[in-house]
Amino acid sequence: MPELPDVEGFRRVLDSCVRGRSIERVEVADPGVLREVTPWRLERALVGRCFAEPRRHGKWLIAATDGPVVLLHFGMTGSLVCCSPADPLGRHDRVAFVAGERQLRYRDQRKLQGIRLVADQDGVRRALSELGPDALDVGPAEFDELIDGRRARIKAVLMDQSVLAGLGNLLADEILWRARVAPDRQAAGLAAEERRRIHRAMRRVLRDSVRVGHIPAGSTWLTGRRDSPDPACPRCGTRLRRGRITGRTTLWCPHCQGEGQALSGAAGVPAVEQDPSDDPGRE
DNA sequence: CTCGTTGTTTCGAG
DNA sequence: ACTCGAAACAACGA
């Protein structure tokens, strides 16, 4: 689940749960989720400290305190939950930050070392230095620059965290579907008009999903179709195509987005360019 | 037992 | 040097 909108949701959970509260204890049920920090050192560094306003960059949650900073990543299955001491420890509750009657629990089915500890803002900067700008902060001009000259397929570029931070597999499919661009088009081969459509779709998809804290599975979203065995395009009803890009399952509509360059030939801009007959999709 | 999964990191080819 | 993509990582469910 966790892509940018989900992490933004976790940020709000942290904010309302423990911001301004003093950390009494850090309970590490499973040290497997800690990266380069021992349970003992984590506890030592945080006890007595106060959670400040949390920030987010891409899929990273930046949990600052009046001392060190905790960095949280949620991999594919992680989440953050606000609990009371009475709530029984779930099977996948790996770490609990205890602050009085509230406790913030890091929950993850897997153990992909999503929790880091850094001393200060400079440590945050160093730890996240490989990331591109947060996808929500990228305007149209910057988007163009980021895409410019990339030989990879557009979906791979959108998911590349060093280019743009925050988009994952589901969002990338959703955005390209809305922009009516096939996911296997080479980024460098996109027309200015297509890049603009992708950027606008990105803004729209992010805005709508950040609002609810996850990617909506509504009837006008591609994402909800993912699990059905024979999914149809929410816009035109055409049977969706399923493929694999950069090792991830990719869904697209051959009618709205074109077959993709592999099938449309070297000269071809797919028949997406003229948009008279297609209705512009509704929310 | 096999395959698949929303994520990142690492390695090797072009 | 740079860019890309596949594999590895790991735990679980179908």
Side-chain angles (χ1 to χ4, degrees), chain A residues 241-254:
Chain A
R241 200 143 296 180
R242 215 183 275 276
R244 201 157 266 281
I245 287 180
T246 327
R248 339 255 3 154
T249 295
T250 301
L251 229 58
W252 79 98
C253 172

Side-chain angles (χ1 to χ4, degrees), chain A residues 2 10 14 22 25 31 36 68 106 110 126 129 132 154 157 182 192 227 230 248 263-264 278:
Chain A
F10 301 149
L14 192 157
S22 167
R25 213 162 61 245
E36 293 163 352
Y106 177 86
R110 302 189 197 173
R126 272 197 307 274
S129 63
I154 182 60
V157 173
D227 297 327
D230 189 23
R248 339 255 3 154
L263 299 172
S264 65
D278 290 271

Side-chain angles (χ1 to χ4, degrees), chain A residues 11-64:
Chain A
R11 194 188 67 75
R12 295 196 287 252
V13 168
L14 192 157
D15 193 64
S16 66
C17 188
V18 293
R19 176 180 171 189
R21 294 174 191 261
S22 167
I23 303 166
E24 289 165 15
R25 213 162 61 245
V26 179
E27 291 171 359
V28 179
D30 195 325
V33 299
L34 305 184
R35 190 193 304 186
E36 293 163 352
V37 62
T38 61
W40 182 82
R41 211 154 59 77
L42 185 69
E43 166 124 39
R44 262 283 299 262
L46 291 177
V47 166
R49 296 300 186 174
C50 224
F51 277 111
E53 182 173 10
R55 295 185 296 120
R56 181 193 55 74
H57 188 100
K59 301 171 189 171
W60 282 93
L61 181 57
I62 303 164

Side-chain angles (χ1 to χ4, degrees), chain A residues 127-195:
Chain A
L128 306 185
S129 63
E130 299 299 303
L131 295 179
D134 187 86
L136 267 181
D137 295 335
V138 173
E142 187 179 10
F143 185 76
D144 254 17
E145 286 170 28
L146 292 170
I147 298 298
D148 186 51
R150 302 249 159 208
R151 294 191 295 261
R153 291 168 288 185
I154 182 60
K155 178 173 177 185
V157 173
L158 289 181
M159 288 197 303
D160 185 337
Q161 302 298 299
S162 69
V163 174
L164 198 69
L167 307 184
N169 195 33
L170 306 191
L171 280 174
D173 279 0
E174 188 73 44
I175 289 165
L176 290 170
W177 172 72
R178 295 211 176 202
R180 301 172 190 241
V181 172
D184 65 345
R185 297 277 306 283
Q186 193 179 27
L190 294 170
E193 157 69 13
E194 294 173 310
R195 295 195 299 267

Side-chain angles (χ1 to χ4, degrees), chain A residues 59-248:
Chain A
K59 301 171 189 171
W60 282 93
L61 181 57
I62 303 164
T65 70
D66 53 356
V69 183
V70 183
L71 297 175
L72 301 121
H73 195 282
F74 300 92
M76 297 200 222
T77 51
S79 66
L80 208 54
V81 201
C82 188
C83 296
S84 81
D87 295 322
L89 204 67
R91 180 149 74 111
H92 302 304
D93 290 347
R94 310 295 187 184
V95 176
F97 302 91
V98 180
E101 292 309 295
R102 303 273 185 87
Q103 49 180 273
L104 192 68
R105 294 190 190 164
Y106 177 86
R107 182 173 289 178
D108 195 349
Q109 203 178 40
R110 302 189 197 173
K111 293 180 265 187
L112 288 183
Q113 303 193 317
I115 299 185
R116 308 185 52 172
L117 180 74
V118 294
D120 49 28
Q121 286 307 317
D122 204 57
V124 174
R125 200 185 45 72
R126 272 197 307 274
L128 306 185
S129 63
E130 299 299 303
L131 295 179
D134 187 86
L136 267 181
D137 295 335
V138 173
E142 187 179 10
F143 185 76
D144 254 17
E145 286 170 28
L146 292 170
I147 298 298
D148 186 51
R150 302 249 159 208
R151 294 191 295 261
R153 291 168 288 185
I154 182 60
K155 178 173 177 185
V157 173
L158 289 181
M159 288 197 303
D160 185 337
Q161 302 298 299
S162 69
V163 174
L164 198 69
L167 307 184
N169 195 33
L170 306 191
L171 280 174
D173 279 0
E174 188 73 44
I175 289 165
L176 290 170
W177 172 72
R178 295 211 176 202
R180 301 172 190 241
V181 172
D184 65 345
R185 297 277 306 283
Q186 193 179 27
L190 294 170
E193 157 69 13
E194 294 173 310
R195 295 195 299 267
R196 211 195 67 218
R197 283 210 306 269
I198 296 170
H199 177 260
R200 292 174 53 153
M202 177 177 85
R203 297 303 285 252
R204 173 103 131 261
V205 165
L206 286 177
R207 178 178 32 89
D208 292 349
S209 46
V210 159
R211 193 148 47 200
V212 293
H214 55 87
I215 308 177
S219 61
T220 61
W221 290 67
L222 186 71
T223 301
R225 304 293 197 275
R226 221 153 238 284
D227 297 327
S228 82
D230 189 23
C233 174
R235 196 192 285 124
C236 73
T238 301
R239 200 178 152 178
L240 294 174
R241 200 143 296 180
R242 215 183 275 276
R244 201 157 266 281
I245 287 180
T246 327
R248 339 255 3 154

